[in-house]
Amino acid sequence: MARKKLWGGRFSSEQDDFFAKFNDSLSFDRELLEADIEGSIAYARALDRAGVFSAKDRGKVESGLRAVLEQNRRNPNAIASSSAEDVHSYVEEALTERIGSLALKLHTGRSRNDQVATDLRLYLRRKEAEIEKKMNRLLIALADFAEKNISAMLPGYTHLQRAQPVLFSHYLLAYGEMLLRDRQRLRESLERIDVCPLGSGALSGTVYKIDRNALARDLNFAAASLNSMDAVADRDFVLDFLFFSSTLMMHLSRFSEDLILYNSAEFSFIQLDDSIASGSSLMPQKKNPDALELVRAKAGRVLGHLVAMMTVLKGLPMTYNKDLQEDKQGLFDAILTVENCLEMMRRVFANIRICPERMLESAATGYLNATELADYLVAKKTPFREAHEIVGKIVVRASELGMRLEEMPIREYQSFSPIF
Ligand code: ARG
């Protein structure tokens, strides 16, 4: 059945079915329903202030919009059966069903261009606050885990070669620092997202007396955008979020890689609980760290969304182009992926047992105290380069003898330097 379009007047032939499906975004932008209604309620108030709506009209529109939201909360599938092309058309249709033609006045001076930019900012701002909470929970889990194992030691690595012994807690809190920087990145992006595009119209503003500052305040934005063309063309705030997400995921991926290695039989530093591991359909002995492997892999997927968005934006002529509709699926997927990975990592920390003896054993072999030996010589006035050379030879000797440095007799040391 032919559906009523938002812009039918100019068109004489019907839309091709395949094109209609190709063009539609309702199946994914329905995620913005709440934000769209929130924006529309504020816009109805702005139209009231502008003298387009009477107070009574405004009241009807507002309660109609709330009813649409309520109906969708009760029955989230209501929207799925709609033939509207996107969430904005859906809300207008659903409102029209409730309050009749008055609903059609709501779009006065507004375009879906400023509408969708506003919706997406409202939506993402809320999601960012939720993500920060999840990050905080993970940080607390990490700090607790570090505190619980405060005195365990393990080899610190460079080039994946045993380098110097470090506290396990010190190692864990290195990732804590990375996550704190990620949280800072998230907070910094809030400043730029906190700007209201509504009232910019399609691209050049509007002839109606929309008080844009009041509208921005009403929606709890720090300010109204200054340039109407930029307001509808800009998706930098999506890039900001995707960059934050990609960096966070890259950190979680590195962390996962470490833990996967440490959980292997070769390292045996940690043991993942059965509850967060899975088995093999063929090899009965296997217990695989799938949770961590998935976190590691999903970093690639989120980075893919960043690259995709940057590529969509590059070369776009001013101002709005339908290309911008492609901003959503990657963003929504990145949000969900980040949320799930933060939660998964938190559960991982609640389900790891560490093997401090194995870690210590490993930190005690491989001459990780060689630097300390060189420093001993330096303390006795040997230049560091020379000390480095002497200790290098001592390490070779010790390994010939199959001994640790602390096991080798003092006369062996004396044969390399009279200082000993
Ligand atoms: N679904 C569209 C999007 O997500 C809404 C804006 C459409 N605007 C337009 N002028 N066709 O970008």
Side-chain angles (χ1 to χ4, degrees), residues 25 29 85-86 88 111-113 116 235 320-322 324-325 327-328:
S25 55
D29 68 14
E85 86 172 62
D86 59 19
H88 324 295
S111 156
R112 282 181 296 163
N113 299 354
V116 72
R235 290 293 183 277
Y320 179 86
N321 300 268
K322 198 56 172 267
L324 292 179
Q325 181 166 286
D327 60 1
K328 294 177 197 63

Side-chain angles (χ1 to χ4, degrees), residues 22-86:
F22 188 73
N23 193 40
D24 286 0
S25 55
L26 185 64
S27 63
F28 52 90
D29 68 14
R30 52 184 282 191
E31 182 73 15
L32 299 176
L33 183 77
E34 230 179 289
D36 195 75
I37 289 180
E38 190 185 347
S40 288
I41 289 174
Y43 195 67
R45 291 197 202 113
L47 286 177
D48 178 2
R49 285 189 295 267
V52 177
F53 274 166
S54 65
K56 197 164 149 240
D57 288 350
R58 196 252 305 138
K60 267 195 203 155
V61 168
E62 205 173 315
S63 56
L65 286 166
R66 287 191 203 288
V68 172
L69 184 60
E70 201 36 55
Q71 180 202 358
N72 273 275
R73 278 196 182 135
R74 274 200 313 273
N75 175 17
N77 290 326
I79 199 168
S81 56
S82 162
S83 66
E85 86 172 62
D86 59 19

Side-chain angles (χ1 to χ4, degrees), residues 374 377 383-396 416:
L377 292 175
F384 182 75
R385 276 287 144 249
E386 226 171 274
H388 188 286
E389 170 90 16
I390 295 168
V391 175
K393 289 181 178 146
I394 294 175
V395 165
V396 172
F416 290 96

Side-chain angles (χ1 to χ4, degrees), residues 72-239:
N72 273 275
R73 278 196 182 135
R74 274 200 313 273
N75 175 17
N77 290 326
I79 199 168
S81 56
S82 162
S83 66
E85 86 172 62
D86 59 19
V87 67
H88 324 295
S89 334
Y90 168 78
V91 171
E92 185 170 310
E93 261 179 42
L95 185 63
T96 310
E97 268 169 38
R98 287 181 177 272
I99 66 167
S101 61
L102 178 62
L104 306 175
K105 280 172 101 178
L106 178 58
H107 214 50
T108 310
R110 186 176 68 169
S111 156
R112 282 181 296 163
N113 299 354
D114 58 346
Q115 192 176 355
V116 72
T118 307
D119 291 4
L120 204 54
R121 283 173 184 269
L122 286 170
Y123 173 84
L124 189 52
R125 197 175 57 175
R126 185 163 306 149
K127 286 289 174 188
E128 288 186 347
E130 287 168 18
I131 287 174
E132 174 161 347
K133 280 197 197 118
K134 292 205 162 72
M135 290 186 81
N136 289 339
R137 293 181 68 191
L138 176 60
L139 279 160
I140 289 168
L142 184 62
D144 284 347
F145 186 51
E147 191 167 38
K148 212 169 80 191
N149 299 292
I150 193 84
S151 53
M153 299 198 68
L154 84 169
Y157 296 85
T158 63
H159 311 266
L160 203 55
Q161 306 287 318
R162 275 177 258 175
Q164 290 181 311
V166 291
L167 287 171
F168 183 58
S169 46
H170 188 57
Y171 158 80
L172 290 175
L173 293 182
Y175 281 106
E177 292 292 327
M178 296 185 197
L179 293 176
L180 285 173
R181 284 197 298 279
D182 292 333
R183 189 177 69 177
Q184 192 180 28
R185 258 183 283 276
L186 181 69
R187 287 178 180 170
E188 284 162 1
S189 74
L190 274 173
E191 201 181 312
R192 281 185 296 274
I193 207 173
D194 210 8
V195 172
C196 183
L198 204 55
S200 298
L203 77 162
S204 67
T206 162
V207 296
Y208 301 94
K209 298 253 167 295
I210 301 291
D211 179 343
R212 295 199 55 236
N213 292 325
L215 186 52
R217 272 196 304 278
D218 206 1
L219 286 170
N220 251 321
F221 280 110
S225 58
L226 293 177
N227 181 301
S228 65
M229 295 180 81
D230 175 52
V232 297
D234 166 43
R235 290 293 183 277
D236 293 2
F237 62 96
V238 175
L239 290 177

